[in-house]
Amino acid sequence: MSAKSSKSKNLSQEEEALLQDYSRDLSTKSSALFYGNAAIVSAVPIWLFWKIHQMEPTNNYIYFILGTLFTAYLISFAYKNVKFVLKHKIFQNLDNVFPNEKEKKNEDRSLKKKNEIAEYEATTYSIFYNNSLFLFILLVASFVIFKNFTPLFNYFLSMSIASGLLALFSTSK
Amino acid sequence: MKSIFFAVLIIATSASGQQCNQAKILNVRTSTSENSKLNTETAFIIQFKAQCQNNARNVPFYAEIDGKFLTSSADATGENYEISWSEPIKKARSGEIKVRIFDEEGYGAFRKAQRSGDLSSSKDLQTVTFYHQGSYKGPSVQIEFLVTVLFGVIFYFAKSSMNKIQN
C-alpha cells in the first residue's frame, strides 16, 4: 500500500513539475522582478515629460500615476509572454550542456539545473528586449508622431501606444 | 530789451551747436549678441569716450558702416558715447566689421566727398574694427534624434539576439 502511494506521489510530483514548467504562472521571485522593473520603466518617462515637454509633476501627478500604473501592467504582461516563449527555446538549446542525462539518477538534477538556467536567462532577456522596444517606441511617438500635440495628450498617447504595441507584439511567437 | 533777448538766444544756439575740437576717441568697447535662440535680431554696440580740447560734451558723432550712417547717443556725463544698431539674424554677417567714426565736420566732408565720388580725401577720427563670430543657431543635429537612433540600435541588437535564440 505504502509503495503504491509513494509511486503515485512521485508521478504526481513529476506531473506537477511538468505543469509548472509549461504554465505561464510566475514564481514569487520572478513576479517581484517583473513588476519592479515594469514600474521603474513606466516611471522613467515622467522625467522626460517633466523636463523636456514641461509637464510639472505638481499639476499633473494624477495623470502620471494613472499612466504609470496602466503602462506597468501592460509591460509586465509583455515580460511574462516573452519569457514564456524564450524559456522553452533556451531549454532546448541547453541539451548540449548536460550530455550525461541518460543516467536516471542524475536526470532529475540536470533537468532542474537546466530549468533554473533557462528561467533566469529568459527572465533577463525578456526584460532587456521589452525595455528597449518600449523606450524606442516611446521616443518615436513623443518626439516625432505626437510632437505637436499638447504635453498631456502626448504623454497619454505615447505611453498607451508604446505599452500597447509591446503587449501586442509579445503575444506573437 | 530786445537786443538783450536776442543776444541770449544767440548764446543759447551757439552753445547747443558747439563743436568738439581735436576729439580723442578713447576706451573703445564693442559687443554683439551671439545667441540666436535668445534674440530676434543681432545687436551691435560700440561704446567709447570722447575728449574734446574745448571740453565740449554731448556733441554728435557719426559712424559709417557699409555706406550707412548712424548717430551716437551720450550718457548723462556727456563724455561717454554709444553707437548701436541691429540687423535680422539671417542678414547679419559674421567676421570682421569696420566702423569709421566721424565728428560733425568730418561727417560733412565725407558726405561732400561721397557726392563728388572722391572718398580718398575724407578723414575719420578713428576706425573701429571688431569681429563678430556669428550667432549660435543651436546644435546641427537634434539631440532627441540621436537618442532615438541610439535606442533603435539597442533594440536592433536585442531583436537579433532573440532571433538567434529562437532559431
Side-chain angles (χ1 to χ4, degrees):
Chain A
M1 237 351 231
S2 58
K4 265 190 183 173
S5 63
S6 66
K7 213 180 178 180
S8 64
K9 224 183 179 178
N10 280 341
L11 277 169
S12 67
Q13 271 181 357
E14 276 178 19
E15 280 169 1
E16 269 180 34
L18 270 172
L19 276 170
Q20 204 182 14
D21 189 35
Y22 282 95
S23 82
R24 288 175 184 258
D25 291 340
L26 299 170
S27 62
T28 316
K29 191 181 166 190
S30 290
S31 292
L33 202 60
F34 278 167
Y35 289 125
N37 265 288
I40 291 169
V41 167
S42 307
V44 161
I46 293 174
W47 182 84
L48 175 79
F49 280 89
W50 174 18
K51 293 293 183 186
I52 308 293
H53 296 283
Q54 307 289 315
M55 269 181 83
E56 286 295 325
T58 45
N59 299 334
N60 299 300
Y61 66 94
I62 297 278
Y63 308 118
F64 282 147
I65 290 168
L66 289 173
T68 303
L69 289 172
F70 175 69
T71 309
Y73 172 75
L74 288 176
I75 290 176
S76 57
F77 175 76
Y79 282 159
K80 254 197 290 184
N81 290 343
V82 173
K83 178 226 165 187
F84 179 75
V85 169
L86 277 179
K87 185 180 170 183
H88 293 288
K89 293 288 180 184
I90 292 169
F91 192 88
Q92 286 165 14
N93 292 339
L94 284 173
D95 277 340
N96 298 330
V97 177
F98 298 100
N100 296 326
E101 31 176 306
K102 285 182 186 170
E103 290 183 27
K104 186 75 181 173
K105 58 177 180 180
N106 285 334
E107 193 176 338
D108 284 345
R109 231 183 74 188
S110 68
L111 274 173
K112 227 180 177 179
K113 189 84 181 175
K114 275 165 64 175
N115 199 36
E116 272 174 26
I117 293 169
E119 174 92 14
Y120 173 73
E121 280 195 20
T123 302
T124 50
Y125 226 93
S126 169
I127 291 171
F128 172 55
Y129 173 78
N130 283 305
N131 284 355
S132 61
L133 180 58
F134 171 74
L135 290 172
F136 176 64
I137 296 174
L138 180 77
L139 286 170
V140 169
S142 69
F143 286 123
V144 178
I145 302 170
F146 303 119
K147 70 173 181 182
N148 293 324
F149 283 52
T150 55
L152 185 62
F153 277 111
N154 191 343
Y155 175 72
F156 273 125
L157 289 170
S158 305
M159 294 286 273
S160 306
I161 284 176
S163 54
L165 284 176
L166 203 71
L168 181 67
F169 293 152
S170 71
T171 55
S172 68
K173 284 193 179 174
Chain B
M1 188 62 192
K2 271 187 186 176
S3 57
I4 295 167
F5 179 69
F6 201 58
V8 165
L9 272 178
I10 288 170
I11 291 164
T13 49
S14 65
S16 65
Q18 64 179 317
Q19 292 210 353
C20 180
N21 295 339
Q22 294 183 3
K24 270 189 191 168
I25 306 289
L26 309 163
N27 301 342
V28 178
R29 283 174 296 148
T30 60
S31 64
T32 61
S33 51
E34 289 173 357
N35 196 328
S36 67
K37 294 289 179 188
L38 298 174
N39 306 304
T40 52
E41 289 197 334
T42 303
F44 302 87
I45 301 168
I46 301 171
Q47 292 169 322
F48 57 90
K49 189 174 176 180
Q51 274 181 354
C52 305
Q53 212 181 37
N54 58 344
N55 284 329
R57 287 162 193 257
N58 210 359
V59 295
F61 288 95
Y62 300 89
E64 182 266 325
I65 308 124
D66 297 335
K68 289 181 293 187
F69 279 92
L70 298 164
T71 51
S72 64
S73 55
D75 67 355
T77 62
E79 273 191 332
N80 298 313
Y81 297 85
E82 182 178 292
I83 296 170
S84 59
W85 71 101
S86 64
E87 287 177 23
I89 290 171
K90 284 187 181 167
K91 216 178 143 189
R93 61 183 173 93
S94 56
E96 213 176 61
I97 298 169
K98 276 191 182 161
V99 178
R100 300 175 73 183
I101 300 177
F102 297 92
D103 58 4
E104 203 156 1
E105 206 183 309
Y107 170 65
F110 185 85
R111 291 299 290 237
K112 246 188 211 172
Q114 233 181 7
R115 280 192 286 271
S116 65
D118 178 28
L119 290 170
S120 56
S121 57
S122 64
K123 266 186 181 172
D124 53 44
L125 289 174
Q126 188 153 337
T127 302
V128 175
T129 306
F130 63 98
Y131 185 76
H132 174 55
Q133 66 178 9
S135 297
Y136 173 65
K137 292 182 184 76
S140 46
V141 178
Q142 293 288 327
I143 195 78
E144 52 260 30
F145 173 74
L146 282 176
V147 171
T148 307
V149 166
L150 173 70
F151 275 92
V153 167
I154 293 170
F155 169 66
Y156 173 76
F157 172 69
K159 182 72 183 167
S160 57
S161 303
M162 192 159 140
N163 287 343
K164 272 186 204 168
I165 293 170
Q166 287 186 313
N167 297 334

